[in-house]
Amino acid sequence: MKKILSYPLSVISYIFFFITLAVFHLIQWISLKLGGYYAHKKSVDIFNFFLMRCLDVTGARFSFENSHDIPVEKPCIFVANHQGMYDIPLIIWYLRDHHPKFVSKKELGKGIPGISFNLRHGGSVLIDRKNPRESLTKMGKFADYLKETNRSAVIFPEGTRSRTGHPKKFAVRGMQILFKKMPDAMVVPLTINNSWKLFQHGLFPLGLGVHFKLKVHKPIPVSSDDPDSLIALVERTIISDIK
């Protein structure tokens, strides 16, 4: 019965989703042209709030757990497991004070209204996984941008999302570059739970009653350990809370 009910509710949710993409693509464009970075950033925050609200019809809930003080006076490197595309609205909305910028594959930089526009113009970096040399250069420039602007990086070291919630092996090269170039930053492990359940049947129908959870772990100074040891600690911390 639950799966049968998910078909009409998924249709309604997707209608809201595509309307939100189209409307906020235009809002972002206007905000960027007339108000610059900060107006655009504000529109992106609101955009992602409404993307989350598109799932209300499916009975989705969102929880944010953070008992730590995350500094806003210096850049942070948020490192998270990756379970689905709704990981991104969770992070953008709940961590909006830190100006999160994403390390994303270049294919997402075009073709998706609203989302592609933000990736191209909002400060994120788009990398070509088939061109490691170019990717390393872009990551270095990305780190320089974050230091200059006091903004924060978000990296999903699994590369691709886990379709079952079980974590994939972390790739370390991107984190190594950020840690080396940003020694004064804080690395903040994030654990995401249940996001994969939204697409447990594929893109359609959507899973009903998903409780998305985002947990922030204790921030760690990048300078506190050598990069490889720090990466191992971050990976253990994230994985230890995946349910």
Side-chain angles (χ1 to χ4, degrees):
M1 177 61 71
K2 186 175 180 179
K3 190 172 182 181
I4 292 174
L5 183 62
S6 70
Y7 282 92
L9 295 180
S10 296
V11 170
I12 296 170
S13 180
Y14 270 121
I15 290 172
F16 289 146
F17 177 77
F18 288 117
I19 290 173
T20 301
L21 292 185
V23 169
F24 275 93
H25 184 91
L26 178 60
I27 291 174
Q28 283 187 68
W29 186 88
I30 294 172
S31 298
L32 183 61
K33 295 298 181 183
L34 298 183
Y37 171 81
Y38 287 98
H40 176 237
K41 192 263 181 190
K42 189 68 174 180
S43 73
V44 170
D45 293 343
I46 298 170
F47 171 41
N48 282 274
F49 172 79
F50 277 102
L51 285 178
M52 293 163 60
R53 299 282 69 82
C54 290
L55 293 180
D56 286 353
V57 69
T58 69
R61 293 179 293 149
F62 301 90
S63 294
F64 177 61
E65 180 182 345
N66 178 27
S67 58
H68 309 286
D69 291 325
I70 309 174
V72 294
E73 68 277 5
K74 63 173 63 180
C76 293
I77 302 169
F78 295 103
V79 184
N81 62 309
H82 195 19
Q83 295 190 347
M85 69 178 188
Y86 264 87
D87 300 344
I88 295 169
L90 275 172
I91 292 171
I92 291 177
W93 176 249
Y94 286 115
L95 298 172
R96 59 192 181 277
D97 290 344
H98 302 276
H99 297 246
K101 311 302 176 188
F102 290 80
V103 178
S104 181
K105 59 183 181 181
K106 71 171 188 177
E107 290 82 1
L108 296 178
K110 57 183 179 181
I112 311 173
I115 294 172
S116 296
F117 187 91
N118 180 43
L119 288 174
R120 291 197 311 273
H121 300 286
S124 295
V125 61
L126 297 167
I127 61 173
D128 183 355
R129 294 176 180 174
K130 298 177 182 178
N131 191 337
R133 179 175 296 181
E134 180 188 72
S135 297
L136 294 180
T137 301
K138 284 188 173 182
M139 287 294 292
K141 292 180 179 178
F142 181 53
D144 291 337
Y145 161 78
L146 297 174
K147 288 190 295 184
E148 291 170 5
T149 57
N150 194 33
R151 292 164 192 164
S152 297
V154 179
I155 187 167
F156 299 111
E158 291 169 284
T160 57
R161 63 185 182 271
S162 169
R163 298 183 184 278
T164 62
H166 186 76
K168 299 175 181 289
K169 183 174 177 57
F170 281 22
V172 303
R173 193 61 180 141
M175 285 188 285
Q176 287 174 337
I177 294 172
L178 292 177
F179 291 172
K180 180 180 179 180
K181 297 274 288 184
M182 302 173 66
D184 296 326
M186 303 290 286
V187 58
V188 185
L190 306 174
T191 298
I192 296 168
N193 275 301
N194 299 329
S195 179
W196 68 274
K197 294 179 180 180
L198 184 68
F199 299 110
Q200 59 188 306
H201 308 302
L203 290 176
F204 190 84
L206 301 173
L208 299 185
V210 177
H211 186 184
F212 296 82
K213 296 182 179 180
L214 174 61
K215 180 175 180 178
V216 178
H217 298 279
K218 184 178 180 180
I220 309 166
V222 168
S223 59
S224 65
D225 210 337
D226 66 90
D228 290 339
S229 298
L230 185 55
I231 289 169
L233 173 60
V234 169
E235 183 173 6
R236 288 195 305 270
T237 301
I238 293 170
I239 291 175
S240 68
D241 255 305
I242 297 177
K243 309 302 182 184

